[in-house]
């Protein structure tokens, strides 16, 4: 835990949430598919992790952070 600065489970959850944020901002993959691809068992689990880390649900994050396709 000292090496990572946080508990291993928290580190993994944060890494999964960051990966989901990247997919949400850069793709149009459905939220449930993003959750599965990032290792969350359900979209609800992703939503909880997202609200905890970013203060907003994944759908709202996508609406404000997504980059337009060119």
């Amino acid at each position: 835990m000292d090496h990572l600065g946080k508990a291993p489970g928290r580190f993994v959850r944060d890494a999964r949430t960051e990966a989901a944020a990247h997919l949400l901002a850069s793709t149009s993959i459905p939220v449930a598919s993003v959750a599965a691809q990032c290792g969350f068992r359900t979209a609800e689990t992703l939503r909880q992790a997202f609200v905890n880390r970013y203060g907003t649900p994944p759908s709202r994050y996508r609406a404000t952070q997504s980059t337009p396709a060119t």
Side-chain angles (χ1 to χ4, degrees):
M1 182 159 67
D2 291 333
H3 179 70
L4 299 175
K6 56 182 92 174
R10 172 59 68 184
F11 177 83
V12 170
R13 185 174 178 161
D14 286 351
R16 289 177 176 168
T17 305
E18 288 176 25
H22 174 73
L23 287 176
L24 289 166
S26 63
T27 71
S28 60
I29 299 170
V31 173
S33 296
V34 169
Q37 287 183 26
C38 294
F40 290 97
R41 289 190 176 186
T42 67
E44 176 60 20
T45 305
L46 170 59
R47 188 194 70 75
Q48 291 172 1
F50 226 85
V51 169
N52 186 24
R53 179 156 177 119
Y54 296 104
T56 188
S59 57
R60 186 170 299 149
Y61 180 88
R62 172 176 269 165
T64 60
Q65 300 296 318
S66 63
T67 54
T70 56

